[in-house]
């Protein structure tokens, strides 16, 4: 499972937090009327405790309700972020675009050059672009798998800034290369397709790489993304390589919502069915 940086991890075990929250929610179901203000607090706590022990299903119900509320809150927050940050998400000047730049449907992928599932998904992405001339693919450098990933992303940003027409070729060369992706392997991939190393190194001395990666980190954090690959199509956020069928349906749903005519024929999309992240 490809996890994000430890700064995104909760400070306490999730199960403990959920249980404590559920207990608080269960206790909130019991309201003390104004006329009972003089009742001893310990007596009230005793009554509540005895009730919960005799009816433990109340905790289960509270956990279910808590989970429902959390999911609803997360979805509402994501929709708000998608609305507020649509410009950065879909049309940032710092992003790389493959496929049809003027395509009516945009698929955004958050990826890491050291992500095994991202590597396996690449062939399907290529086929999708080849078969669907109306698809625009936005790639977001989201290095979450260590320093090597950050270094590779920095080189990739420099490639996109000085030779955007070669970014797709570079992206494929680095993503499909063997071994760890890092600064050296990224430079090798770039020079291997004819990009001048001196010009590339000069581009890497600017603030563009750091600003680009920070922009993606901030966006991913607000969207609640926890690893790679993660995708956005319209107002749908899909985390993990969930498979061709579901992503295809998500894409087609966006076409219908926007009133876009579907392209006849099969559409192959992304990864084989693998639960969540690597």
């Amino acid at each position: 499972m490809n996890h994000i940086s430890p700064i995104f991890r909760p400070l306490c075990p999730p199960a403990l937090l959920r249980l404590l929250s559920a207990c608080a929610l269960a206790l909130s179901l019991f309201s003390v009327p104004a006329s009972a203000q003089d009742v001893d607090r310990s007596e009230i706590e005793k009554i509540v405790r005895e009730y919960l022990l005799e009816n433990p299903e109340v905790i289960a119900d509270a956990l279910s309700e808590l989970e429902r509320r959390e999911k609803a809150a997360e979805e509402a927050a994501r929709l708000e972020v998608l609305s507020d940050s649509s410009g950065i998400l879909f049309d940032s000047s710092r992003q790389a675009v493959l496929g049809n730049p003027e395509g009516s449907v945009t698929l955004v992928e958050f990826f890491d050059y050291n992500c095994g599932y991202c590597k396996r998904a690449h062939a399907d992405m290529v086929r999708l672009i080849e078969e669907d001339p109306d698809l625009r693919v936005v790639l977001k450098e989201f290095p979450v798998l260590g320093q090597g990933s950050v270094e590779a992303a920095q080189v990739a940003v420099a490639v996109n800034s000085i030779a955007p027409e070669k970014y797709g070729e570079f992206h494929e060369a680095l993503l499909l290369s063997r071994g760890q992706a890092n600064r050296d392997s990224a430079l090798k991939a770039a020079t291997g397709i004819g990009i001048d190393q001196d010009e590339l190194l000069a581009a890497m001395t600017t603030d563009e790489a750091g600003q680009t990666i920070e922009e993606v980190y901030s966006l991913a954090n607000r969207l609640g993304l926890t690893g790679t690959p993660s995708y956005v199509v319209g107002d749908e956020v899909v985390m993990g390589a969930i498979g061709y069928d579901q992503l295809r349906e998500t894409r087609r749903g966006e076409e219908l919502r926007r009133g876009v005519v579907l392209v006849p024929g099969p559409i192959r999309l992304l990864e084989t069915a693998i639960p969540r992240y690597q």
Side-chain angles (χ1 to χ4, degrees), residues 15-241:
L16 177 59
L17 288 178
R18 292 184 62 80
L19 181 58
L20 291 175
S21 299
C23 288
L25 182 59
L27 289 173
S28 70
L29 299 177
F30 298 90
S31 59
V32 180
S35 61
Q37 293 297 317
D38 295 332
V39 177
D40 185 80
R41 178 183 178 87
S42 63
E43 288 298 318
I44 296 176
E45 292 175 347
K46 180 180 179 181
I47 293 172
V48 172
R49 181 178 183 278
E50 290 176 350
Y51 179 84
L52 292 177
L53 289 175
E54 293 173 1
N55 301 273
E57 65 275 8
V58 172
I59 297 297
D61 291 342
L63 279 170
S64 296
E65 175 62 17
L66 178 64
E67 182 176 5
R68 185 194 67 79
R69 293 186 186 184
E70 287 177 342
K71 288 182 178 179
E74 289 173 0
E75 181 62 21
R78 281 186 183 135
L79 288 175
E80 183 177 358
V81 172
L82 289 172
S83 175
D84 294 344
S85 305
S86 61
I88 294 177
L89 179 61
F90 298 110
D91 297 297
S92 173
S93 60
R94 297 189 170 103
Q95 68 194 17
V97 178
L98 302 180
N100 181 359
E102 305 299 326
S104 61
V105 175
T106 298
L107 168 68
V108 180
E109 178 187 1
F110 291 76
F111 74 97
D112 184 304
Y113 280 111
N114 283 308
C115 167
Y117 289 158
C118 300
K119 293 174 181 288
R120 297 175 203 171
H122 180 70
D124 292 316
M125 177 71 80
V126 171
R127 292 183 66 176
L128 176 65
I129 292 173
E130 291 176 346
E131 294 176 6
D132 187 351
D134 199 36
L135 181 65
R136 177 174 178 262
V137 176
V138 171
L139 296 178
K140 299 287 189 182
E141 309 280 351
F142 188 33
V144 295
L145 298 176
Q147 183 59 31
S149 295
V150 174
E151 294 171 0
Q154 291 170 340
V155 176
V157 172
V159 168
N160 192 46
S161 66
I162 66 173
E165 72 283 358
K166 292 188 175 182
Y167 179 89
E169 187 179 359
F170 162 82
H171 176 73
E172 180 172 84
L174 181 57
L175 191 64
L176 300 185
S177 63
R178 293 182 177 274
Q180 179 80 7
N182 52 34
R183 184 178 187 273
D184 291 341
S185 61
L187 287 173
K188 181 179 180 180
T191 56
I193 61 172
I195 297 177
D196 183 77
Q197 180 164 308
D198 291 337
E199 188 177 359
L200 188 60
L201 292 174
M204 291 173 61
T205 63
T206 69
D207 295 331
E208 185 64 17
Q211 292 174 357
T212 298
I213 294 172
E214 183 58 36
E215 177 181 280
V216 177
Y217 278 157
S218 177
L219 183 59
N221 192 28
R222 294 185 63 199
L223 286 171
L225 306 184
T226 55
T228 56
S230 292
Y231 306 96
V232 178
V233 183
D235 60 1
E236 294 288 329
V237 178
V238 182
M239 293 186 287

Side-chain angles (χ1 to χ4, degrees), residues 255-266:
E255 286 181 317
L256 293 173
R257 186 183 71 81
R258 293 168 61 98
V260 179
V261 178
L262 295 175
V263 179

